[in-house]
Amino acid sequence: GEDVEQSLFLSVREGDSSVINCTYTDSSSTYLYWYKQEPGAGLQLLTYIFSNMDMKQDQRLTVLLNKKDKHLSLRIADTQTGDSAIYFCAVMDTGRRALTFGSGTRLQVQP
Amino acid sequence: KAGVTQTPRYLIKTRGQQVTLSCSPISGHRSVSWYQQTPGQGLQFLFEYFSETQRNKGNFPGRFSGRQFSNSRSEMNVSTLELGDSALYLCASRPDIGTEAFFGQGTRLTVV
């Protein structure tokens, strides 16, 4: 089945850019997502990208997709302390309409 | 519009008991999916319901079941609870057409 990998931890200074990376195995994945989870909370959908796109920008968020390398990244510009959270990459199995998640990247923003 | 509502937020149950969790999707959404989140296994897909029918199922034992009502509200049931069932259970609702999956706040189940 699908496998999604993320690095576990990223620390940045406030005001810097953050880049969270994700790799996946199933080349037929058509939709790829980024979710944010704060302590004790559910998952907040940040953005998603369709597999025929290379890039998507939404305010401070930029998603880059390299289909050849099966690599997805999320860039957060001007990172703020409120961005501290766990970020999950997820890919859609369109046959089952189920999301496969990575293990999450904990982003720590230093003031 | 209102988001996905899950009740209760917290539950404590004893091994061997059963539990029912509830999820009310966003108005107009007919697809409801359930996920289990644990520190060890991460986020795993349980099942998806659409128009009162289970459309897809993950790799969980038969103790995990669900249903969906005509108003799209969904319930998830876990029978004969085990300590390993302690987790955050998340519900996601999806439009009929569209790819966004919106999650609720989850129900944190603790089995003692």
Side-chain angles (χ1 to χ4, degrees):
Chain A
E2 176 77 80
D3 192 25
V4 179
E5 299 281 340
Q6 296 178 243
S7 53
L8 292 181
F9 186 76
L10 176 66
S11 180
V12 301
R13 291 189 186 277
E14 192 173 17
D16 287 351
S17 292
S18 307
V19 179
I20 302 171
N21 295 299
C22 170
T23 58
Y24 58 99
T25 56
D26 188 354
S27 58
S28 67
S29 298
T30 52
Y31 297 98
L32 304 102
Y33 304 79
W34 285 102
Y35 285 91
K36 175 184 180 183
Q37 187 175 40
E38 296 181 86
L43 298 173
Q44 176 191 353
L45 176 64
L46 293 175
T47 187
Y48 71 96
I49 190 168
F50 186 51
S51 59
N52 68 353
M53 300 168 65
D54 297 324
M55 186 184 87
K56 181 178 181 182
Q57 188 156 3
D58 184 1
Q59 299 182 328
R60 292 191 298 123
L61 305 178
T62 302
V63 178
L64 294 177
L65 175 61
N66 182 326
K67 277 191 68 176
K68 175 176 171 289
D69 295 338
K70 301 190 191 73
H71 182 267
L72 182 73
S73 68
L74 174 70
R75 178 177 180 270
I76 305 173
D78 188 25
T79 312
Q80 302 298 306
T81 54
D83 295 323
S84 294
I86 300 177
Y87 291 80
F88 289 94
C89 166
V91 300
M92 170 66 74
D93 175 342
T94 51
R96 294 167 69 224
R97 289 170 60 95
L99 292 169
T100 300
F101 287 86
S103 54
T105 299
R106 182 178 296 275
L107 174 64
Q108 181 180 70
V109 183
Q110 315 259 11
Chain B
K1 54 185 175 181
V4 180
T5 303
Q6 291 189 244
T7 57
R9 288 293 311 277
Y10 303 93
L11 266 178
I12 300 176
K13 289 286 189 179
T14 305
R15 268 182 303 176
Q17 287 186 314
Q18 72 163 13
V19 68
T20 299
L21 314 181
S22 178
C23 172
S24 293
I26 292 170
S27 178
H29 289 192
R30 287 193 292 166
S31 169
V32 174
S33 301
W34 289 89
Y35 291 81
Q36 181 196 64
Q37 185 178 25
T38 60
Q41 299 298 316
L43 282 149
Q44 294 184 287
F45 171 71
L46 281 154
F47 28 65
E48 184 210 7
Y49 284 86
F50 183 84
S51 292
E52 302 179 63
T53 301
Q54 185 182 90
R55 192 155 64 170
N56 297 292
K57 191 175 188 305
N59 297 321
F60 278 81
R63 300 185 299 107
F64 291 82
S65 64
R67 59 179 174 168
Q68 188 179 32
F69 302 95
S70 58
N71 62 357
S72 294
R73 189 176 71 86
S74 177
E75 288 182 347
M76 190 190 102
N77 184 273
V78 188
S79 63
T80 319
L81 284 165
E82 301 176 359
L83 295 179
D85 297 332
S86 295
L88 181 66
Y89 290 89
L90 292 161
C91 162
S93 88
R94 185 188 304 277
D96 286 355
I97 297 173
T99 57
E100 300 100 326
F102 298 96
F103 283 81
Q105 293 296 298
T107 294
R108 182 163 297 281
L109 172 65
T110 302
V111 182
V112 297

Short mmCIF file of all heavy atoms in Angstrom, two decimals, chain A residues 31 33 35 37 40-45 48 88 92 95-103, chain B residues 9 31 35 37 43 45 48 55-58 88 90 94-95 99-105:
data_model
loop_
_atom_site.label_atom_id
_atom_site.label_comp_id
_atom_site.label_asym_id
_atom_site.label_seq_id
_atom_site.Cartn_x
_atom_site.Cartn_y
_atom_site.Cartn_z
N TYR A 31 -4.41 13.39 -5.27
CA TYR A 31 -4.55 14.58 -4.44
C TYR A 31 -3.63 14.46 -3.24
O TYR A 31 -3.55 13.40 -2.62
CB TYR A 31 -6.00 14.74 -3.96
CG TYR A 31 -6.98 14.95 -5.09
CD1 TYR A 31 -7.72 13.88 -5.60
CD2 TYR A 31 -7.16 16.20 -5.64
CE1 TYR A 31 -8.61 14.07 -6.63
CE2 TYR A 31 -8.05 16.40 -6.68
CZ TYR A 31 -8.77 15.33 -7.17
OH TYR A 31 -9.63 15.53 -8.20
N TYR A 33 -2.24 16.52 0.36
CA TYR A 33 -2.76 17.49 1.32
C TYR A 33 -1.73 17.83 2.40
O TYR A 33 -0.85 17.03 2.71
CB TYR A 33 -3.97 16.90 2.05
CG TYR A 33 -5.09 16.44 1.16
CD1 TYR A 33 -5.02 15.22 0.49
CD2 TYR A 33 -6.23 17.22 1.00
CE1 TYR A 33 -6.05 14.80 -0.33
CE2 TYR A 33 -7.26 16.80 0.19
CZ TYR A 33 -7.17 15.59 -0.47
OH TYR A 33 -8.19 15.18 -1.28
N TYR A 35 -2.11 19.10 6.44
CA TYR A 35 -2.94 19.40 7.59
C TYR A 35 -2.07 19.89 8.74
O TYR A 35 -0.92 19.51 8.87
CB TYR A 35 -3.70 18.15 8.05
CG TYR A 35 -4.86 17.76 7.18
CD1 TYR A 35 -4.69 16.88 6.10
CD2 TYR A 35 -6.13 18.24 7.43
CE1 TYR A 35 -5.76 16.52 5.30
CE2 TYR A 35 -7.21 17.88 6.64
CZ TYR A 35 -7.01 17.03 5.58
OH TYR A 35 -8.08 16.67 4.80
N GLN A 37 -2.05 20.25 13.03
CA GLN A 37 -2.69 19.80 14.26
C GLN A 37 -2.02 20.48 15.44
O GLN A 37 -0.83 20.32 15.68
CB GLN A 37 -2.61 18.28 14.41
CG GLN A 37 -3.42 17.77 15.60
CD GLN A 37 -3.44 16.25 15.69
OE1 GLN A 37 -2.44 15.59 15.45
NE2 GLN A 37 -4.59 15.69 16.04
N GLY A 40 -4.13 18.85 21.40
CA GLY A 40 -5.50 18.61 21.84
C GLY A 40 -6.56 18.90 20.80
O GLY A 40 -7.76 18.86 21.13
N ALA A 41 -6.16 19.16 19.59
CA ALA A 41 -7.14 19.55 18.56
C ALA A 41 -7.20 18.52 17.44
O ALA A 41 -6.39 17.60 17.37
CB ALA A 41 -6.77 20.93 18.01
N GLY A 42 -8.17 18.74 16.56
CA GLY A 42 -8.29 17.90 15.38
C GLY A 42 -7.35 18.37 14.30
O GLY A 42 -6.38 19.09 14.56
N LEU A 43 -7.63 17.98 13.06
CA LEU A 43 -6.79 18.33 11.93
C LEU A 43 -7.41 19.50 11.17
O LEU A 43 -8.58 19.45 10.80
CB LEU A 43 -6.64 17.13 10.98
CG LEU A 43 -5.97 15.89 11.56
CD1 LEU A 43 -6.04 14.75 10.57
CD2 LEU A 43 -4.53 16.19 11.92
N GLN A 44 -6.58 20.49 10.92
CA GLN A 44 -7.02 21.65 10.15
C GLN A 44 -6.44 21.55 8.75
O GLN A 44 -5.23 21.47 8.57
CB GLN A 44 -6.53 22.93 10.83
CG GLN A 44 -6.86 24.20 10.05
CD GLN A 44 -6.13 25.41 10.62
OE1 GLN A 44 -5.49 25.35 11.66
NE2 GLN A 44 -6.23 26.53 9.92
N LEU A 45 -7.32 21.54 7.75
CA LEU A 45 -6.84 21.48 6.37
C LEU A 45 -6.20 22.82 6.01
O LEU A 45 -6.83 23.86 6.09
CB LEU A 45 -8.02 21.20 5.42
CG LEU A 45 -7.69 21.22 3.93
CD1 LEU A 45 -6.70 20.11 3.58
CD2 LEU A 45 -8.96 21.06 3.10
N TYR A 48 -4.28 21.87 -0.38
CA TYR A 48 -4.07 20.62 -1.09
C TYR A 48 -3.69 20.94 -2.53
O TYR A 48 -3.89 22.06 -3.01
CB TYR A 48 -5.30 19.72 -1.04
CG TYR A 48 -6.47 20.20 -1.86
CD1 TYR A 48 -6.68 19.73 -3.15
CD2 TYR A 48 -7.37 21.12 -1.34
CE1 TYR A 48 -7.75 20.16 -3.90
CE2 TYR A 48 -8.44 21.55 -2.08
CZ TYR A 48 -8.64 21.08 -3.36
OH TYR A 48 -9.70 21.52 -4.10
N PHE A 88 0.95 17.47 9.00
CA PHE A 88 0.81 16.15 8.37
C PHE A 88 0.66 16.30 6.87
O PHE A 88 -0.15 17.10 6.39
CB PHE A 88 -0.41 15.43 8.92
CG PHE A 88 -0.28 14.96 10.33
CD1 PHE A 88 -0.73 15.77 11.38
CD2 PHE A 88 0.29 13.73 10.64
CE1 PHE A 88 -0.62 15.35 12.69
CE2 PHE A 88 0.40 13.31 11.95
CZ PHE A 88 -0.04 14.12 12.98
N MET A 92 -4.24 10.99 -1.19
CA MET A 92 -5.56 10.39 -1.36
C MET A 92 -5.47 9.15 -2.24
O MET A 92 -4.92 9.20 -3.34
CB MET A 92 -6.48 11.40 -2.04
CG MET A 92 -7.80 10.84 -2.51
SD MET A 92 -8.84 10.31 -1.16
CE MET A 92 -9.38 11.89 -0.54
N GLY A 95 -9.20 5.34 -5.19
CA GLY A 95 -10.04 4.16 -5.25
C GLY A 95 -10.83 3.96 -3.97
O GLY A 95 -12.02 3.67 -3.99
N ARG A 96 -10.16 4.13 -2.85
CA ARG A 96 -10.80 3.92 -1.56
C ARG A 96 -11.28 5.22 -0.95
O ARG A 96 -11.94 5.20 0.09
CB ARG A 96 -9.82 3.24 -0.61
CG ARG A 96 -9.45 1.83 -1.02
CD ARG A 96 -8.25 1.34 -0.24
NE ARG A 96 -8.58 1.12 1.15
CZ ARG A 96 -7.81 1.50 2.17
NH1 ARG A 96 -6.68 2.13 1.93
NH2 ARG A 96 -8.15 1.24 3.40
N ARG A 97 -10.95 6.33 -1.60
CA ARG A 97 -11.28 7.65 -1.04
C ARG A 97 -10.81 7.74 0.41
O ARG A 97 -11.49 8.28 1.26
CB ARG A 97 -12.77 7.95 -1.16
CG ARG A 97 -13.22 8.23 -2.58
CD ARG A 97 -14.71 8.28 -2.69
NE ARG A 97 -15.31 9.31 -1.88
CZ ARG A 97 -15.63 10.53 -2.30
NH1 ARG A 97 -15.35 10.87 -3.53
NH2 ARG A 97 -16.20 11.40 -1.50
N ALA A 98 -9.65 7.18 0.68
CA ALA A 98 -9.08 7.23 2.02
C ALA A 98 -7.77 7.99 1.97
O ALA A 98 -7.04 7.95 0.98
CB ALA A 98 -8.84 5.82 2.53
N LEU A 99 -7.48 8.68 3.05
CA LEU A 99 -6.23 9.41 3.17
C LEU A 99 -5.18 8.55 3.86
O LEU A 99 -5.48 7.92 4.88
CB LEU A 99 -6.43 10.69 3.97
CG LEU A 99 -7.27 11.79 3.32
CD1 LEU A 99 -7.60 12.88 4.32
CD2 LEU A 99 -6.54 12.38 2.13
N THR A 100 -3.97 8.54 3.30
CA THR A 100 -2.83 7.94 3.98
C THR A 100 -1.95 9.08 4.47
O THR A 100 -1.56 9.94 3.69
CB THR A 100 -2.03 7.03 3.04
OG1 THR A 100 -2.88 5.98 2.57
CG2 THR A 100 -0.85 6.41 3.77
N PHE A 101 -1.67 9.07 5.76
CA PHE A 101 -0.94 10.16 6.39
C PHE A 101 0.51 9.81 6.65
O PHE A 101 0.85 8.64 6.92
CB PHE A 101 -1.59 10.51 7.74
CG PHE A 101 -2.89 11.23 7.64
CD1 PHE A 101 -4.08 10.54 7.50
CD2 PHE A 101 -2.93 12.61 7.69
CE1 PHE A 101 -5.29 11.20 7.41
CE2 PHE A 101 -4.15 13.29 7.61
CZ PHE A 101 -5.32 12.58 7.47
N GLY A 102 1.35 10.83 6.62
CA GLY A 102 2.69 10.68 7.14
C GLY A 102 2.64 10.74 8.66
O GLY A 102 1.58 10.93 9.26
N SER A 103 3.80 10.57 9.28
CA SER A 103 3.85 10.52 10.74
C SER A 103 3.83 11.91 11.37
O SER A 103 3.73 12.02 12.59
CB SER A 103 5.10 9.78 11.19
OG SER A 103 6.25 10.36 10.59
N ARG B 9 -16.25 14.67 23.55
CA ARG B 9 -14.84 15.02 23.32
C ARG B 9 -13.91 14.06 24.04
O ARG B 9 -12.82 13.77 23.56
CB ARG B 9 -14.56 16.45 23.79
CG ARG B 9 -15.16 17.54 22.93
CD ARG B 9 -14.51 17.61 21.54
NE ARG B 9 -13.06 17.62 21.53
CZ ARG B 9 -12.31 18.70 21.71
NH1 ARG B 9 -12.86 19.88 21.92
NH2 ARG B 9 -10.98 18.61 21.67
N SER B 31 -20.46 12.30 2.72
CA SER B 31 -19.39 11.34 2.99
C SER B 31 -18.80 11.61 4.36
O SER B 31 -18.42 12.75 4.67
CB SER B 31 -18.31 11.45 1.92
OG SER B 31 -17.16 10.73 2.30
N TYR B 35 -11.08 8.01 11.35
CA TYR B 35 -9.66 7.72 11.46
C TYR B 35 -9.31 7.55 12.93
O TYR B 35 -9.89 8.19 13.81
CB TYR B 35 -8.82 8.86 10.88
CG TYR B 35 -8.91 8.98 9.38
CD1 TYR B 35 -10.00 9.63 8.78
CD2 TYR B 35 -7.94 8.44 8.55
CE1 TYR B 35 -10.10 9.73 7.41
CE2 TYR B 35 -8.03 8.54 7.17
CZ TYR B 35 -9.12 9.19 6.61
OH TYR B 35 -9.22 9.28 5.24
N GLN B 37 -6.12 7.86 15.61
CA GLN B 37 -4.79 8.43 15.77
C GLN B 37 -4.19 7.96 17.09
O GLN B 37 -4.75 8.21 18.16
CB GLN B 37 -4.82 9.96 15.73
CG GLN B 37 -3.43 10.59 15.77
CD GLN B 37 -3.44 12.10 15.70
OE1 GLN B 37 -4.41 12.76 16.06
NE2 GLN B 37 -2.35 12.68 15.18
N LEU B 43 -1.97 8.10 12.15
CA LEU B 43 -3.35 8.24 11.68
C LEU B 43 -3.67 7.11 10.71
O LEU B 43 -3.00 6.93 9.70
CB LEU B 43 -3.52 9.57 10.96
CG LEU B 43 -3.67 10.78 11.86
CD1 LEU B 43 -3.09 12.03 11.22
CD2 LEU B 43 -5.15 11.00 12.19
N PHE B 45 -6.87 4.94 8.63
CA PHE B 45 -8.23 4.97 8.11
C PHE B 45 -9.02 3.78 8.64
O PHE B 45 -8.57 2.63 8.58
CB PHE B 45 -8.16 4.92 6.58
CG PHE B 45 -9.47 4.72 5.88
CD1 PHE B 45 -10.41 5.74 5.86
CD2 PHE B 45 -9.76 3.53 5.23
CE1 PHE B 45 -11.62 5.56 5.19
CE2 PHE B 45 -10.96 3.36 4.56
CZ PHE B 45 -11.89 4.37 4.55
N GLU B 48 -15.32 4.51 5.63
CA GLU B 48 -16.03 5.64 5.05
C GLU B 48 -17.47 5.26 4.78
O GLU B 48 -17.75 4.14 4.30
CB GLU B 48 -15.40 6.09 3.73
CG GLU B 48 -16.06 7.35 3.16
CD GLU B 48 -16.03 7.44 1.64
OE1 GLU B 48 -15.61 6.48 0.97
OE2 GLU B 48 -16.44 8.50 1.12
N ARG B 55 -18.72 2.45 2.30
CA ARG B 55 -18.17 2.39 0.95
C ARG B 55 -16.75 1.81 0.95
O ARG B 55 -16.34 1.18 -0.02
CB ARG B 55 -18.20 3.78 0.34
CG ARG B 55 -17.93 3.84 -1.12
CD ARG B 55 -18.53 5.05 -1.77
NE ARG B 55 -17.97 6.30 -1.27
CZ ARG B 55 -18.20 7.48 -1.84
NH1 ARG B 55 -18.96 7.56 -2.91
NH2 ARG B 55 -17.71 8.58 -1.34
N ASN B 56 -16.03 2.07 2.03
CA ASN B 56 -14.64 1.61 2.10
C ASN B 56 -14.30 1.26 3.54
O ASN B 56 -14.89 1.83 4.47
CB ASN B 56 -13.67 2.70 1.62
CG ASN B 56 -13.89 3.03 0.18
OD1 ASN B 56 -13.62 2.22 -0.70
ND2 ASN B 56 -14.40 4.23 -0.09
N LYS B 57 -13.33 0.39 3.70
CA LYS B 57 -12.98 -0.07 5.04
C LYS B 57 -11.47 -0.23 5.14
O LYS B 57 -10.83 -0.73 4.20
CB LYS B 57 -13.67 -1.39 5.33
CG LYS B 57 -13.62 -1.85 6.76
CD LYS B 57 -14.43 -3.12 6.94
CE LYS B 57 -14.58 -3.51 8.41
NZ LYS B 57 -13.32 -3.65 9.12
N GLY B 58 -10.91 0.16 6.27
CA GLY B 58 -9.49 -0.04 6.51
C GLY B 58 -9.24 -1.39 7.15
O GLY B 58 -10.13 -2.24 7.22
N LEU B 88 -7.16 8.90 19.77
CA LEU B 88 -8.00 10.01 19.33
C LEU B 88 -8.72 9.55 18.07
O LEU B 88 -8.08 9.13 17.11
CB LEU B 88 -7.16 11.25 19.03
CG LEU B 88 -7.91 12.50 18.58
CD1 LEU B 88 -8.80 13.04 19.70
CD2 LEU B 88 -6.94 13.59 18.11
N LEU B 90 -10.95 10.48 14.96
CA LEU B 90 -11.27 11.67 14.17
C LEU B 90 -12.25 11.31 13.07
O LEU B 90 -12.14 10.27 12.42
CB LEU B 90 -9.99 12.24 13.55
CG LEU B 90 -9.00 12.86 14.54
CD1 LEU B 90 -7.62 12.96 13.92
CD2 LEU B 90 -9.48 14.24 14.96
N ARG B 94 -16.79 15.19 3.84
CA ARG B 94 -16.36 15.57 2.49
C ARG B 94 -17.59 15.92 1.65
O ARG B 94 -18.63 15.28 1.78
CB ARG B 94 -15.64 14.38 1.87
CG ARG B 94 -15.02 14.60 0.53
CD ARG B 94 -14.51 13.28 -0.03
NE ARG B 94 -13.58 12.63 0.85
CZ ARG B 94 -12.29 12.93 0.93
NH1 ARG B 94 -11.78 13.87 0.16
NH2 ARG B 94 -11.51 12.28 1.75
N PRO B 95 -17.43 16.92 0.78
CA PRO B 95 -18.54 17.22 -0.13
C PRO B 95 -18.80 16.05 -1.07
O PRO B 95 -17.94 15.20 -1.28
CB PRO B 95 -18.04 18.43 -0.93
CG PRO B 95 -16.87 18.94 -0.19
CD PRO B 95 -16.29 17.80 0.57
N THR B 99 -12.60 17.51 -3.14
CA THR B 99 -11.55 16.69 -2.56
C THR B 99 -11.19 17.05 -1.14
O THR B 99 -10.47 16.33 -0.50
CB THR B 99 -10.28 16.83 -3.41
OG1 THR B 99 -9.94 18.22 -3.46
CG2 THR B 99 -10.52 16.32 -4.81
N GLU B 100 -11.72 18.18 -0.64
CA GLU B 100 -11.34 18.56 0.71
C GLU B 100 -12.00 17.64 1.73
O GLU B 100 -13.19 17.33 1.61
CB GLU B 100 -11.75 20.00 1.01
CG GLU B 100 -11.14 21.04 0.11
CD GLU B 100 -12.10 21.46 -0.98
OE1 GLU B 100 -12.88 20.63 -1.44
OE2 GLU B 100 -12.03 22.66 -1.34
N ALA B 101 -11.22 17.22 2.70
CA ALA B 101 -11.75 16.47 3.83
C ALA B 101 -11.57 17.34 5.06
O ALA B 101 -10.46 17.71 5.41
CB ALA B 101 -11.03 15.14 3.99
N PHE B 102 -12.69 17.67 5.70
CA PHE B 102 -12.67 18.53 6.87
C PHE B 102 -12.86 17.69 8.12
O PHE B 102 -13.81 16.91 8.20
CB PHE B 102 -13.77 19.59 6.78
CG PHE B 102 -13.60 20.51 5.59
CD1 PHE B 102 -14.28 20.25 4.41
CD2 PHE B 102 -12.75 21.59 5.66
CE1 PHE B 102 -14.12 21.09 3.31
CE2 PHE B 102 -12.60 22.43 4.57
CZ PHE B 102 -13.27 22.18 3.39
N PHE B 103 -11.97 17.88 9.08
CA PHE B 103 -11.99 17.05 10.28
C PHE B 103 -12.64 17.75 11.46
O PHE B 103 -12.59 18.98 11.58
CB PHE B 103 -10.55 16.67 10.66
CG PHE B 103 -9.97 15.58 9.81
CD1 PHE B 103 -9.43 15.86 8.56
CD2 PHE B 103 -9.97 14.26 10.26
CE1 PHE B 103 -8.90 14.85 7.77
CE2 PHE B 103 -9.44 13.25 9.47
CZ PHE B 103 -8.91 13.54 8.24
N GLY B 104 -13.21 16.93 12.33
CA GLY B 104 -13.70 17.41 13.60
C GLY B 104 -12.58 17.49 14.62
O GLY B 104 -11.42 17.20 14.31
N GLN B 105 -12.94 17.85 15.85
CA GLN B 105 -11.95 17.99 16.92
C GLN B 105 -11.54 16.64 17.51
O GLN B 105 -10.55 16.55 18.22
CB GLN B 105 -12.51 18.88 18.05
CG GLN B 105 -12.70 20.32 17.62
CD GLN B 105 -11.39 20.98 17.28
OE1 GLN B 105 -10.51 21.13 18.11
NE2 GLN B 105 -11.22 21.36 16.02
#
